[in-house]
Amino acid sequence: MNVIETEDLTRVFTGRPNRKDRFRRPRHVAVDGLSLTVEAGESVGYIGANGAGKSTTIKMLVGILVPTSGAVTTVGLHPLKQRRALARRVGVVFGQRSQLWWDLPVQESFSILSSIHSLPAADERVRTAELVEMLEMGEFLATPVRQLSLGQRMRAEVAAALLHRPELLILDEPTIGLDVLSKQRLREFLVAQRREHGTTLLLTTHDMGDVERLCDRILVVDHGSLAFDGTFDGLARTVGARRELVVDLAAASPDLVDLDGAEHVRSESGGLRQRLAFDPQRTTAARVLAAVSERVEVLDLSITEPDIEDVVREIYRATRR
C-alpha cells in the first residue's frame, strides 16, 4: 500500500501586481510536477536546500495548501476533501511551530489533543504513559510548555503527534537547534517507534546525521523537482559526500597528512585545531581518530556532516554530466 502518492504535483504562488504593470503578477513555482510514492512502513528522508519546496509539499500532503495542479493522496485519502479523516491517521511536527498550548502544562496539552482525536480515557492513559516513558518526559509533564527547553519541547511535540497512533508521521526539521544528546534521544525513540508500531516516517531535515541514522530511502528535491531517489549509500556514491573530523590538539602540530583513509583539509590556530575529511563508506570516524591519536594527543573532537546545500549542488552537477 502506498501511504503517500503524488502525480505531477505542482504549486505556484502568485504575488502582488507589479507597480509598472498592474496586470502582471510575479509567479513562483514552489513544487514543479512532483511524482513520488512512499510505501507503508518506509522511513524516507525528504531533503533539499532552503526554498526547494519541502514544506510546501508537506502542506499539500496534509491539506493545508491546495495544489495548483496534479494529484495527491495521503494514506489513501484526498487531503482537501477528507481532511478531518486524514487528521486522525497522520501526525505532523513542524520544527518552527507548536501544536501544544503555550501556557498549559504538557500533560494538559496531551489531554486536550486526546479529546480532539476522541481517544477513550483508557487508551489515552496507556498511550501517554508509553510515550512519557520512552521519551523520558516524566520530570516536566507538569511544566508549562513556555518553560521547557528546546529539547524537552521537541520531545513533547513528537509525543503529541503520536498520541493517536498515526499511520504516517511527518517531521519537518524536528532536530533543528537541538544539542547532541537531545538529537540522539529523539533518533533512538523514532527508530523504536517504527520498529514496534510500523509507523511510516517522512522526514525533512538539514542534518545529514538524521538522514543516515533514520532513513532507508532518500528523496532529494531541487527547485520543486525530484533530483534523486535512492539510498544513503547511493547518495554518497553519487556526490562523494564526506564528513570532517575536527580535532583540538594538546600542542601545535604539523599538518596531519598521509593518514590512512583521511585527507587533511586545513589547520587552524597554528596547528592546534585540524580538520580531516573522510569517506564514511570507506572508513569510520573512530578509525581516523585512532590514526590521529597515534601521532598526537587529542583534547577534544567533533564531526561535521556534509552540508545539504552542497549535496544538492553535487547531485545537480552529476545529473548534468
Side-chain angles (χ1 to χ4, degrees):
M1 172 187 169
N2 289 330
V3 172
I4 296 173
E5 188 168 353
T6 73
E7 183 177 355
D8 293 326
L9 186 64
T10 299
R11 172 69 195 202
V12 178
F13 291 100
T14 305
R16 294 183 178 180
N18 191 301
R19 288 185 178 181
K20 296 181 180 180
D21 185 353
R22 289 181 300 170
F23 299 101
R24 186 175 182 181
R25 292 175 175 265
R27 299 171 76 253
H28 170 63
V29 182
V31 177
D32 189 7
L34 184 68
S35 296
L36 59 86
T37 59
V38 175
E39 295 183 1
E42 278 194 289
S43 181
V44 178
Y46 189 52
I47 68 175
N50 287 327
K54 305 184 299 296
S55 294
T56 301
T57 304
I58 289 175
K59 289 173 182 177
M60 289 190 286
L61 290 176
V62 297
I64 296 174
L65 282 178
V66 181
T68 303
S69 63
V72 54
T73 57
T74 306
V75 294
L77 301 175
H78 189 288
L80 288 172
K81 296 177 181 177
Q82 299 169 289
R83 188 172 174 183
R84 181 171 293 183
L86 180 63
R88 298 186 183 280
R89 298 174 62 182
V90 174
V92 185
V93 175
F94 289 102
Q96 303 297 335
R97 292 190 178 94
S98 179
Q99 61 188 313
L100 305 172
W101 279 261
W102 199 241
D103 293 313
L104 294 181
V106 175
Q107 179 67 64
E108 293 299 321
S109 286
F110 288 171
S111 296
I112 293 171
L113 289 167
S114 297
S115 296
I116 289 173
H117 288 293
S118 302
L119 292 182
D123 288 353
E124 176 192 346
R125 287 193 297 270
V126 171
R127 183 58 169 162
T128 300
E130 177 188 7
L131 291 169
V132 168
E133 179 180 0
M134 293 183 70
L135 284 166
E136 301 176 23
M137 297 187 296
E139 63 180 13
F140 58 83
L141 269 183
T143 304
V145 173
R146 57 183 167 79
Q147 295 179 10
L148 300 181
S149 69
L150 180 58
Q152 290 172 333
R153 185 174 71 79
M154 287 312 302
R155 277 185 276 162
E157 295 282 359
V158 172
L162 288 168
L163 272 174
H164 56 297
R165 291 188 174 88
E167 300 164 45
L168 170 65
L169 177 63
I170 300 176
L171 302 175
D172 189 14
E173 302 285 3
T175 63
I176 189 169
L178 298 187
D179 58 44
V180 174
L181 182 60
S182 296
K183 284 185 181 182
Q184 182 61 26
R185 182 185 284 122
L186 186 55
R187 288 167 179 165
E188 290 174 352
F189 167 75
L190 291 172
V191 169
Q193 185 70 23
R194 184 172 166 232
R195 181 179 60 247
E196 294 175 15
H197 298 283
T199 309
T200 304
L201 176 66
L202 180 68
L203 170 73
T204 79
T205 181
H206 273 73
D207 191 324
M208 290 299 288
D210 288 345
V211 174
E212 182 180 10
R213 293 167 179 79
L214 293 174
C215 302
D216 305 321
R217 178 182 166 209
I218 300 171
L219 304 173
V220 180
V221 63
D222 182 43
H223 293 93
S225 299
L226 196 61
F228 177 87
D229 181 353
T231 64
F232 184 85
D233 291 347
L235 179 65
R237 286 194 298 270
T238 299
V239 302
R242 300 191 303 172
R243 289 176 174 161
E244 278 190 5
L245 176 67
V246 183
V247 290
D248 291 332
L249 308 180
S253 167
D255 293 349
L256 296 170
V257 297
D258 300 325
L259 289 172
D260 186 26
E263 176 186 344
H264 181 269
V265 176
R266 68 176 183 272
S267 294
E268 302 169 3
S269 303
L272 282 171
R273 169 172 289 182
Q274 302 200 24
R275 296 177 178 271
L276 306 163
F278 65 96
D279 184 347
Q281 304 301 309
R282 297 181 179 178
T283 190
T284 64
R287 290 174 185 167
V288 177
L289 178 60
V292 171
S293 299
E294 289 180 358
R295 297 192 187 182
V296 292
E297 182 182 353
V298 178
L299 292 181
D300 199 3
L301 64 91
S302 62
I303 297 175
T304 302
E305 302 288 349
D307 187 79
I308 289 288
E309 281 77 5
D310 292 338
V311 169
V312 173
R313 193 178 301 115
E314 289 300 320
I315 288 175
Y316 198 63
R317 288 174 183 167
T319 57
R320 284 191 162 190
R321 289 171 189 163

